[in-house]
Amino acid sequence: MVSVLSVIYDKTADPQLASTQQTIPLFDDTLALKQLEVEAALFTKKKQGWHCSANISNCKAWSNTWQNLSVTPLSSPPKLTEKAQEIVFYIEGFQAPQVWQLFAKQHILKSPQNNWYQVPSSPNMQLLPKIDKSIL
């Protein structure tokens, strides 16, 4: 089975891309995100739009960040200063979920095949959900 990782890797393996350090979308029409999980928090694509776990207070911003996320492939592993959080992607057309590692403060993603990606920082970017503890 061809995995999402192979397709993403192929998209990022272009030598011109590496030399110019351009960002590319992590998800697009070919690789559409249908669900994302971080620990017990998740958002899912429904007919009416994106829906989050009831205790997520930043659902729209969080789902928009991931739907429109662009990354820059890194040629070598970065120096990490934080512990990874597991991110589980469910992609249209693929039965198996894709488990990645997120280093949110450093804006770094690591694929299961040890490919590293930098997420450009943006003032509106919300890589992690905001949990409303009063709704647990």
Side-chain angles (χ1 to χ4, degrees):
M1 174 175 124
V2 176
S3 75
V4 171
L5 299 175
S6 296
V7 176
I8 292 172
Y9 182 77
D10 290 345
K11 285 172 41 175
T12 61
D14 182 344
Q16 289 181 331
L17 181 64
S19 65
T20 60
Q21 293 298 300
Q22 295 178 354
T23 61
I24 59 164
L26 190 58
F27 305 104
D28 58 22
D29 293 339
T30 310
L31 299 168
L33 180 62
K34 65 179 181 181
Q35 183 172 305
L36 182 139
E37 294 177 15
V38 178
E39 297 174 6
L42 67 90
F43 67 80
T44 305
K45 185 176 185 178
K46 304 276 185 177
K47 289 181 184 178
Q48 306 84 8
W50 291 93
H51 296 277
C52 291
S53 305
N55 61 341
I56 305 301
S57 64
N58 66 334
C59 183
K60 185 174 182 175
W62 183 43
S63 60
N64 282 341
T65 292
W66 283 100
Q67 292 172 71
N68 301 306
L69 191 66
S70 291
V71 295
T72 301
L74 299 175
S75 57
S76 60
K79 183 176 181 178
L80 301 171
T81 60
E82 65 182 295
K83 184 179 176 187
Q85 290 185 276
E86 207 170 77
I87 300 286
V88 182
F89 299 123
Y90 294 83
I91 310 298
E92 293 286 342
F94 292 89
Q95 291 183 2
Q98 303 295 312
V99 181
W100 289 51
Q101 292 181 352
L102 171 66
F103 302 86
K105 291 178 184 172
Q106 292 181 265
H107 293 253
I108 301 284
L109 281 169
K110 181 183 178 187
S111 76
Q113 295 178 325
N114 294 319
N115 296 316
W116 295 89
Y117 302 92
Q118 179 73 53
V119 178
S121 58
S122 161
N124 300 326
M125 183 171 295
Q126 296 186 25
L127 294 171
L128 295 173
K130 291 183 182 171
I131 308 294
D132 183 348
K133 297 191 189 302
S134 68
I135 304 179
L136 297 174

